[in-house]
Amino acid sequence: MKKNLKKAALLLTGVLLGGSVFAQTDSVSSREFVKPFSGIGSYRTWSIGANIGAPSLLLATGGHNGFNHWDPTLGYGLSIRDQLVHSFGLQLDYNGGKVKGGVSSNQPYVTNINGERYISFSTKYNQVTLSGVLNFATVDYLRRKNAIGFYASAGLGVVYYTPTVYGATTPGIPTTASASFKSSNIVLPVGVGVKFRLTDAVNLNLGYNENFIDGSSFNGANQYPVMSHYSYGYAGLEFTLGPKSKPSIQWANPIASIRHEYMTEEQRLQALVDAQKAANDKLRADMDAMNANLAKYTTDSDGDGVSDFFDKCPGTPAGVKVDGSGCPLPMATAKPADVKVYVTEEDKKIVKEAIRNLEFDFGKSTIRPHSFPSLTRVAQLLIEKNFSLKLAGHTDNVGSSDFNLSLSKNRAESVKAFLVSKGANPSSIEATGYGKTQPIATNKTAKGRQMNRRVEFTLF
């Protein structure tokens, strides 16, 4: 007995020390909330436990098979559990220990089915079971995080036991020899309990199991058809496994998570509203500043069409025409008499030569250098005789209409730009593109298409 109590003390000390280590390393800043409907992977679901307790034939169920006196003994257990959902998990348990008992003074012996009489027993056992654990009150409406949890369990397993019975030695009654044997049977454990959350990783577990055995000789005195059973009351610690960034599913409060999600979303939306309001205020301030600057640049006190900021001649009388700086334009002089201009054959020859020598890069509006001399003579002609010139660009039918129209226009503008660069008056030159709409030859032959790719010069 003393040896068993010493073992129990050592085991309990080890369990409590282990709980202390877990409690010291457990962080109170562990994530408490999980986004609703995010799946089981967001939680810690696995846990292990260790316990010590008192196995007996008498607890809660009264005497069993005649032995109505209980000798206190030590039991112990280990467990591993996977919490499948908030309210239900599967738990694998190992239990071991010894159950001892005897008869009281008013009951001299116990008789088995063979008529053998015994006064006491001692049974060593080892048991492995798989149980379903149903949690109650998994939602706490008073606290953000649950602190107490109640549960019930039921399962199925195998118990291996070695009972020893001791024969009666009462005077006047024949002595029955002591006996010992090994056996195993299916066992059905049914239990209830309560857990207290010490930290996010450590729980205090108090429970009671009644173990119903498919056999009649657990106490060594076979009294078939009465089935054997024994009880086990225990206390222990349970340690949650997994990363601290995830909460334990058995203590997580779904209502708190839903509220947290709502509050977080509300704060996020409020932050967006505040940010948008700040942006609107800044935009309004920028617009006010822009309107103030715009007023400075658009105010025209004398009504001459030039703002005061740029007006170098303020106070111009109404109706007076002004230049870009707001100053009156000089009075118009008499228009000189029109001078007739005649186009000679020599002039036409210069233009024809320019047309004949005009070439562009393929598919581009870039004039090739060998065309420059003849175009330079056309520019000199425009300057000397003050001629006007119409440039008409044309293409063949290769390519889209939009491309050819743009290409013909660009080539005519390139010729105009060259002439202007040589001193010709840009207002006297008109550049137009017609694309492929005005062919002068068939587009079915290479020669015809070449003739259609042209820029026509018209002097007037």
Side-chain angles (χ1 to χ4, degrees):
M1 179 64 185
K2 292 183 178 179
K3 187 176 181 181
N4 288 338
L5 291 177
K6 185 176 181 181
K7 290 181 178 179
L10 289 174
L11 178 59
L12 181 59
T13 301
V15 170
L16 292 176
L17 287 175
S20 175
V21 171
F22 271 75
Q24 292 171 6
T25 57
D26 185 49
S27 172
V28 295
S29 63
S30 297
R31 185 163 63 92
E32 298 177 6
F33 305 107
V34 172
K35 188 173 183 179
F37 315 114
S38 58
I40 194 68
S42 299
Y43 297 94
R44 287 183 286 173
T45 61
W46 287 93
S47 61
I48 59 175
N51 62 72
I52 58 175
S56 170
L57 297 185
L58 303 181
L59 290 177
T61 59
H64 176 63
N65 290 2
F67 293 108
N68 56 8
H69 177 75
W70 171 46
D71 293 332
T73 54
L74 173 68
Y76 44 87
L78 299 172
S79 66
I80 182 169
R81 180 166 52 87
D82 183 15
Q83 193 71 28
L84 303 179
V85 293
H86 284 85
S87 58
F88 182 78
L90 289 177
Q91 181 166 305
L92 181 67
D93 287 282
Y94 163 76
N95 291 99
K98 180 184 291 187
V99 182
K100 296 178 67 175
V103 295
S104 60
S105 59
N106 60 356
Q107 179 181 332
Y109 55 84
V110 172
T111 304
N112 66 10
I113 59 175
N114 297 321
E116 298 168 330
R117 296 175 296 245
Y118 302 103
I119 60 172
S120 64
F121 79 96
S122 175
T123 300
K124 293 181 179 180
Y125 69 92
N126 291 281
Q127 178 174 303
V128 178
T129 57
L130 179 64
S131 301
V133 181
L134 182 64
N135 292 337
F136 297 99
T138 57
V139 176
D140 191 339
Y141 290 93
L142 301 178
R143 302 172 185 82
R144 186 176 61 185
K145 184 183 292 186
N146 298 352
I148 302 176
F150 301 91
Y151 64 90
S153 63
L156 189 67
V158 178
V159 59
Y160 302 89
Y161 55 93
T162 303
T164 300
V165 287
Y166 301 93
T169 58
T170 305
I173 299 176
T175 299
T176 301
S178 299
S180 179
F181 61 91
K182 293 183 179 181
S183 184
S184 64
N185 290 111
I186 293 175
V187 62
L188 174 66
V190 178
V192 292
V194 59
K195 293 180 182 179
F196 301 89
R197 182 177 60 83
L198 303 181
T199 71
D200 285 345
V202 183
N203 310 320
L204 174 62
N205 189 11
L206 304 179
Y208 171 83
N209 284 347
E210 190 70 24
N211 299 275
F212 297 92
I213 301 172
D214 185 23
S216 303
S217 58
F218 183 74
N219 64 357
N222 190 347
Q223 291 183 309
Y224 183 83
V226 178
M227 296 292 102
S228 297
H229 55 89
Y230 75 96
S231 61
Y232 180 56
Y234 58 91
L237 294 177
E238 185 179 65
F239 307 102
T240 303
L241 305 178
K244 294 180 182 180
S245 59
K246 297 180 181 180
S248 171
I249 189 172
Q250 67 174 327
W251 296 116
N253 190 336
I255 300 300
S257 292
I258 292 174
R259 179 182 179 277
H260 176 75
E261 178 72 11
Y262 167 77
M263 296 297 293
T264 301
E265 183 64 15
E266 182 182 37
Q267 293 170 1
R268 187 185 71 83
L269 293 176
Q270 186 61 50
L272 290 177
V273 171
D274 293 342
Q276 187 60 53
K277 183 176 181 299
N280 291 343
D281 292 342
K282 184 178 183 303
L283 180 61
R284 187 176 294 107
D286 292 343
M287 290 184 64
D288 291 342
M290 182 182 67
N291 289 334
N293 290 331
L294 186 62
K296 180 176 68 174
Y297 290 109
T298 57
T299 301
D300 182 10
S301 301
D302 56 10
D304 61 359
V306 180
S307 69
D308 293 349
F309 186 83
F310 299 103
D311 197 342
K312 295 182 179 179
C313 301
T316 303
V320 176
K321 294 182 178 181
V322 298
D323 57 17
S325 62
C327 295
L329 293 171
M331 299 298 293
T333 58
K335 183 178 179 181
D338 292 339
V339 177
K340 291 186 176 295
V341 179
Y342 297 96
V343 180
T344 66
E345 291 298 324
E346 184 64 25
D347 298 335
K348 294 179 181 179
K349 182 178 179 181
I350 293 173
V351 171
K352 287 181 180 180
E353 183 181 0
I355 294 174
R356 184 171 60 254
N357 292 331
L358 181 59
E359 288 187 8
F360 299 89
D361 289 342
F362 179 74
K364 298 180 181 179
S365 59
T366 305
I367 303 173
R368 292 183 175 175
H370 72 82
S371 303
F372 292 166
S374 57
L375 288 176
T376 301
R377 287 192 289 275
V378 173
Q380 293 171 351
L381 182 64
L382 296 178
I383 296 171
E384 292 172 359
K385 293 193 174 184
N386 198 25
F387 282 145
S388 294
L389 176 65
K390 180 177 181 180
L391 300 170
H394 301 274
T395 66
D396 57 24
N397 67 343
V398 178
S400 66
S401 298
D402 291 342
F403 174 77
N404 284 321
L405 183 62
S406 174
L407 180 61
S408 64
K409 172 68 173 174
N410 291 339
R411 285 180 171 177
E413 290 288 351
S414 293
V415 174
K416 177 179 177 179
F418 181 85
L419 297 175
V420 170
S421 70
K422 297 300 181 181
N425 185 1
S427 62
S428 66
I429 303 174
E430 177 186 352
T432 307
Y434 295 95
K436 59 183 181 180
T437 60
Q438 298 181 10
I440 59 174
T442 180
N443 281 308
K444 294 181 180 181
T445 64
K447 182 178 180 181
R449 289 191 295 272
Q450 182 179 4
M451 293 175 64
N452 290 331
R453 295 192 295 269
R454 68 195 188 280
V455 175
E456 295 178 346
F457 291 60
T458 304
L459 279 176
F460 58 95

